[in-house]
Amino acid sequence: RSEKKSTMNVFCFGSGEGDEDYLESCGLTLASMELADLIVARGTFTIIDGSTVVHKTHDGEEAYFQAYREQLAKAVERKIPMIVANPDKIRPDADRSPMPGTIGNDYERALKESGDYLNGADTIKYIGKPFSDVYEIALRGKDLSRACMVGDALETDVTGGSAVGIDTIWVVNDGIHNEQVHRKGNGSLQDGCSKVLSEFNGRPDTYAKGRQLTPNMVLPHFRW
């Protein structure tokens, strides 16, 4: 006699593209925050509980963020574990739109403010750069001296590569720091990069957690 396969109830902050299919393929069942065993943050466009979907584009930002605040408050009450499927905080588009890393940050902040937050690692799990899991998989059995992390974001790309001991290349003009570098450099790429890097290294609220970054190379563009 075949037994019914047990599933885990999950609440989703989604991307709006294939969220339900993705979760189902992982053996997860969408559920309300009241019934959820887990929260998956994989996007900043939809809020999905299995019966309703709030879409930032279709329903408007006001409705989306109202639902967002309400659902986070419910999550804090129950201290539901969260997986952040993409730790990036800023999308490299014209509006510098938020990404799933901001959801993890908001949840962590709300848990701390609730006065009952002891161990973030037990509540929020970030999967992706700059956290070690993805590097351990990608670099397993590899010669680290022949590996290099290339990216535009100091907080994820350069921080992650630096933390695992590989060289890093910071690509400036095609990413999230572009405007900031050129504004602070006043026409000088070198001066702008130096100032932005110095400010980043002085911030206590990043994934680097005090690690002082020094990219091995800075490029305006990533081109062969």
Side-chain angles (χ1 to χ4, degrees):
R1 184 171 63 90
S2 62
E3 295 184 0
K4 183 178 180 180
K5 184 179 179 181
S6 62
T7 61
M8 178 179 286
N9 289 336
V10 60
F11 185 94
C12 181
F13 294 101
S15 67
E17 296 182 359
D19 296 304
E20 293 90 342
D21 291 341
Y22 170 80
L23 295 170
E24 184 178 346
S25 73
C26 296
L28 302 172
T29 300
L30 281 163
S32 67
M33 197 67 83
E34 289 83 359
L35 299 176
D37 305 303
L38 176 69
I39 303 166
V40 173
R42 68 184 303 260
T44 58
F45 292 94
T46 58
I47 298 173
I48 314 170
D49 67 4
S51 61
T52 60
V53 177
V54 180
H55 199 293
K56 186 186 293 183
T57 301
H58 301 161
D59 299 306
E61 291 196 358
E62 183 176 349
Y64 173 87
F65 283 111
Q66 180 178 339
Y68 176 77
R69 291 188 293 269
E70 291 173 354
Q71 295 299 338
L72 272 190
K74 293 178 183 179
V76 169
E77 288 181 5
R78 297 188 57 222
K79 309 293 185 293
I80 306 172
M82 174 184 285
I83 290 178
V84 180
N86 183 345
D88 278 325
K89 298 177 182 177
I90 301 173
R91 188 183 306 277
D93 58 17
D95 298 325
R96 296 297 188 262
S97 307
M99 292 189 69
T102 61
I103 300 175
N105 280 187
D106 287 346
Y107 190 36
E108 183 173 352
R109 187 181 307 109
L111 286 167
K112 289 178 178 178
E113 291 174 353
S114 75
D116 186 21
Y117 182 69
L118 301 177
N119 187 351
D122 291 340
T123 310
I124 305 173
K125 173 69 173 179
Y126 294 88
I127 300 177
K129 304 170 298 180
F131 297 90
S132 61
D133 308 62
V134 292
Y135 291 95
E136 291 171 0
I137 294 170
L139 298 172
R140 187 175 297 144
K142 304 297 191 299
D143 179 358
L144 297 189
S145 69
R146 295 179 60 81
C148 182
M149 181 68 222
V150 182
D152 69 297
L154 290 173
E155 189 167 8
T156 51
D157 302 318
V158 180
T159 294
S162 174
V164 297
I166 61 175
D167 287 347
T168 58
I169 298 177
W170 182 25
V171 182
V172 177
N173 285 355
D174 302 318
I176 63 172
H177 298 288
N178 178 22
E179 293 181 6
Q180 188 182 14
V181 165
H182 286 278
R183 183 175 68 252
K184 291 184 178 297
N186 196 27
S188 170
L189 182 66
Q190 182 175 349
D191 289 348
C193 289
S194 178
K195 291 176 180 177
V196 169
L197 186 60
S198 177
E199 286 187 4
F200 179 86
N201 283 334
R203 288 173 51 194
D205 60 339
T206 71
Y207 294 139
K209 299 189 181 302
R211 174 183 290 273
Q212 299 298 289
L213 303 184
T214 305
N216 296 90
M217 182 175 291
V218 177
L219 295 176
H221 302 282
F222 184 55
R223 293 173 178 167
W224 293 107

